[in-house]
Amino acid sequence: LIFTAGIAALFYIPKFRINEISIKGIEVLDEKQFKGEIANLLNGKLYRIIPYNNIFIIPTAKITADFLQKFPILKTITVIRDFSQKLSIEIEERKPEAIWCLSSTNDLIATSTAPTADSCAFVDEKGFIFGPAPIFSGTIFPKFFDKRGQPSVIGKEMISDAEFQKLRSFKEEFVQNLQEEKPQKETQVRKPISKLRKVIAKRLVQVKNETAMLTTFNEVDMKAILAIREKEKEAFQKKY
């Protein structure tokens, strides 16, 4: 019993305990919250005796499995243990490929700790639903509307990867056809002007800048001349 207690005490030696957590690859997730979740897990104990925050007992498999389930946005998570007092974690987040929307009578069911009642969700390139999305997100991502009447679950694939790839191909072909139907814009071609035109343009600007220019306006009463023209118009046309 004394020997067992001595072995257990070794795992509580400060030099063998994790005192720093490094996260790489975070873009969307809250890094502070993520580190807090890791710290809470490391505060647990193996068999209620041996602390998880010991450099020899770090539960890498448990961290990977638990966090992939808790944070569906995570595509991969790698726990690096170098037997120092620093724990390094590298993650890769899922990138939105499209938005999957349900009919207004259905809600998304969240498997994470943050349930949502939104009717649209982000999906990655495999059709995996990983987070709620606003339906008013404009045309940044293509939207697919599901009218099958079945609930969607965050953290699951709504349809198979093969079927989703068909939808992606249809979208890409549709966009390409739209671009081909657009009228081609006239191509503008810039050509260098001749030396003579350069000299003329230079002289015109020089004259404008160096010569005093004055514009005058004179008002003339043309009524008498117009009256004579109207009176003699027919006789003038016959004679000339």
Side-chain angles (χ1 to χ4, degrees):
L1 180 61
I2 297 176
F3 177 77
T4 303
I7 294 296
L10 290 176
F11 294 103
Y12 286 87
I13 297 177
K15 65 182 297 185
F16 296 145
R17 303 184 71 174
I18 300 296
N19 58 17
E20 182 182 354
I21 301 174
S22 173
I23 311 292
K24 293 182 179 180
I26 281 188
E27 296 180 8
V28 178
L29 286 175
D30 187 328
E31 183 174 356
K32 184 177 180 180
Q33 178 189 2
F34 193 81
K35 283 186 176 181
E37 295 287 348
I38 294 290
N40 289 337
L41 188 148
L42 294 179
N43 285 334
K45 294 181 180 180
L46 179 64
Y47 304 124
R48 298 183 181 182
I49 299 175
I50 303 174
Y52 281 137
N53 64 355
N54 185 279
I55 61 175
F56 301 106
I57 309 297
I58 298 174
T60 56
K62 179 177 177 59
I63 292 175
T64 301
D66 289 359
F67 280 76
L68 285 177
Q69 182 179 8
K70 193 168 189 176
F71 298 95
I73 193 175
L74 292 180
K75 188 175 183 179
T76 61
I77 176 170
T78 304
V79 181
I80 302 174
R81 178 174 56 182
D82 57 4
F83 297 100
S84 67
Q85 290 183 292
K86 179 180 178 180
L87 178 65
S88 299
I89 298 178
E90 296 181 358
I91 68 171
E92 180 184 359
E93 296 179 346
R94 299 181 187 274
K95 305 296 182 183
E97 175 68 23
I99 294 178
W100 194 273
C101 295
L102 306 177
S103 62
S104 58
T105 57
N106 294 314
D107 292 331
L108 284 172
I109 302 175
T111 58
S112 64
T113 57
T116 176
D118 294 340
S119 60
C120 294
F122 286 120
V123 296
D124 67 1
E125 74 280 0
K126 298 292 185 181
F128 184 88
I129 298 177
F130 63 88
I135 193 172
F136 51 83
S137 55
T139 57
I140 301 176
F141 304 105
K143 296 186 182 71
F144 298 106
F145 293 88
D146 190 346
K147 295 185 178 180
R148 294 177 297 176
Q150 63 185 49
S152 177
V153 180
I154 295 178
K156 301 289 184 180
E157 290 183 355
M158 192 61 189
I159 58 177
S160 66
D161 181 23
E163 293 297 324
F164 187 71
Q165 299 312 314
K166 292 180 182 179
L167 290 176
R168 291 182 65 191
S169 298
F170 172 77
K171 183 265 295 183
E172 293 172 358
E173 184 176 351
F174 180 75
V175 172
Q176 183 178 358
N177 291 337
L178 286 179
Q179 293 175 346
E180 292 176 353
E181 291 177 359
K182 290 182 179 179
Q184 296 294 329
K185 296 182 179 179
E186 295 182 1
T187 305
Q188 296 182 354
V189 180
R190 293 187 178 185
K191 295 184 178 180
I193 63 175
S194 64
K195 185 176 181 180
L196 177 60
R197 294 186 64 183
K198 286 183 179 180
V199 173
I200 294 174
K202 182 178 179 180
R203 292 290 184 265
L204 287 175
V205 174
Q206 183 178 356
V207 170
K208 181 178 71 69
N209 294 335
E210 298 178 357
T211 305
M213 296 184 180
L214 178 64
T215 303
T216 60
F217 297 90
N218 297 315
E219 294 185 3
V220 179
D221 188 358
M222 301 288 292
K223 291 180 180 179
I225 296 176
L226 291 175
I228 295 173
R229 182 177 180 276
E230 186 66 27
K231 180 180 178 181
E232 303 294 340
K233 180 168 62 175
E234 293 183 3
F236 183 85
Q237 288 178 346
K238 289 178 181 181
K239 185 176 180 180
Y240 299 100

